[in-house]
Amino acid sequence: MLDRYINLLKSGEVVAFPTETVYGLGADAKNPDAVKKVFEIKGRPSDNPLIVHISDKKQAKYFALEISDDAHKLMDAFWPGPLTLIFKKKPQVLDIITAGLDTVALRWPKHPLSQQLIALAGPVVAPSANSSGKPSPTKAEHVKEDFGDDFPVVDASETEIGLESTVLDISSEPYTIYRPGAVSADEITKIIGKEVIQDSGSSKDETAKSPGTKYSHYSPEAKVQWISSGDTTFVDEALYLLHSRPAPRKSDRVIHYEGNFNKMAHELYDRFRHADHQNLEFVFVEPFSSEQLQNPIVQALQNRITKAIG
Ligand code: AMP
Ligand code: MG
């Protein structure tokens, strides 16, 4: 089933495929013309580096200058899985991938189809398979919405997690999280016995280190807003995403997650896209309590929703 996609990748073409986080837009990580196509198709600014996806630990050696003891521990604990690690790069890593930085981001995804594809076609760069600025795709149909019905997509229905990987910079200490995801700071600290800094792009310094964090991501055309605490009015032209407070009425525009934050993460981008299909003006989201924000997936939700609000 994958033969066609493997051949496309090997001949320098771009192919979308599922990972456990979101669909990725893959291209051969050793072919500069193929990598260039990824930037062109997405409309991605060239100063926003790409994550290289690999299918075993050994492949990391081609890209990472040095793999420290901490790196080995993290790879053994979380790979394959939703953790991207940033290393100092080897000179042979294409500059177009790293946007001229001296570091490279690596991840070994867990989805079996992504593993097979990479094992047979070789390491691929794979940003999320959406047009720049749109919410990341969690279904093959989202990819086709952005890139057309004929675009080659390995279709494997919905992605499991629904939010992008945790991005952790281990190229210098203290280690820093640039993007929260399903793997949390606490879990990382447990493995390496070191505190990590959480910075998701609010300071100028971190923006310079992880350029992608400065771009508005994840946002629908509809305006995303937090519901203010005393507000009990519900309007018709809006989608409401609730998780804890009572729902005012049954409506397909009032979605209640009943504390199931994994489901909320799984569906968030699809809900955003749906709001746009219906030409809704607003998406209102119930804010999270500090207790709920202890949960890593809630931290990731908070990060994406805050960015969507802009
Ligand atoms: P996406 O491709 O949409 O999943 O986004 C990838 C994220 O990883 C962006 O925020 C990039 O800025 C970040 N990233 C990729 N490579 C690096 C790197 N070498 N250093 C810092 N951040 C990186
Ligand atoms: Mg993206």
Side-chain angles (χ1 to χ4, degrees), residues 180-297:
V183 174
S184 71
D186 286 350
E187 289 171 285
I188 291 165
T189 296
K190 254 187 221 143
I191 298 297
I192 53 174
K194 292 178 184 171
E195 292 294 321
V196 298
I197 297 172
Q198 303 225 38
D199 196 311
S200 28
S202 38
S203 81
K204 274 216 177 92
D205 190 35
E206 295 313 332
T207 298
K209 286 187 198 149
S210 189
T213 53
K214 74 170 175 266
Y215 294 106
S216 130
H217 283 299
Y218 326 117
S219 43
E221 298 293 322
K223 289 189 202 70
V224 183
Q225 291 188 0
W226 297 115
I227 303 174
S228 32
S229 56
D231 197 351
T232 51
T233 51
F234 280 73
V235 297
D236 275 341
E237 319 72 56
L239 173 68
Y240 288 83
L241 301 178
L242 310 178
H243 48 78
S244 306
R245 61 188 274 170
R249 59 185 139 81
K250 281 239 175 300
S251 153
D252 57 8
R253 293 202 181 145
V254 181
I255 313 299
H256 208 299
Y257 289 101
E258 322 227 328
N260 187 343
F261 298 112
N262 289 338
K263 184 161 189 235
M264 190 170 179
H266 174 79
E267 287 186 2
L268 182 75
Y269 293 143
D270 188 50
R271 295 286 178 195
F272 278 179
R273 282 179 182 260
H274 219 70
D276 285 346
H277 296 160
Q278 298 181 311
N279 287 317
L280 299 182
E281 206 176 328
F282 293 99
V283 178
F284 290 112
V285 188
E286 179 180 356
F288 304 107
S289 68
S290 46
E291 197 183 313
Q292 288 164 342
L293 280 164
Q294 302 294 312
N295 176 344
I297 208 70

Side-chain angles (χ1 to χ4, degrees), residues 44 48-51 86 101 103-105 127-128 179 209-212:
R44 183 173 176 111
N48 190 358
L50 304 176
I51 298 169
I86 295 179
L101 298 173
T103 54
V104 63
S128 51
R179 178 171 76 186
K209 286 187 198 149
S210 189

Side-chain angles (χ1 to χ4, degrees), residues 106-181:
L106 299 179
R107 176 164 110 81
W108 175 0
K110 196 172 190 168
H111 196 292
L113 287 176
S114 60
Q115 294 192 359
Q116 281 175 38
L117 193 72
I118 298 164
L120 294 166
V124 294
V125 293
S128 51
N130 53 283
S131 299
S132 258
K134 290 264 180 148
S136 296
T138 56
K139 295 177 175 174
E141 68 193 64
H142 295 162
V143 180
K144 299 204 169 197
E145 229 170 71
D146 285 10
F147 301 138
D149 280 341
D150 294 333
F151 197 84
V153 189
V154 179
D155 187 343
S157 97
E158 297 174 19
T159 59
E160 180 193 334
I161 297 172
L163 299 178
E164 303 81 350
S165 60
T166 303
V167 176
L168 175 69
D169 187 350
I170 54 167
S171 69
S172 60
E173 295 199 37
Y175 302 154
T176 305
I177 291 181
Y178 293 139
R179 178 171 76 186

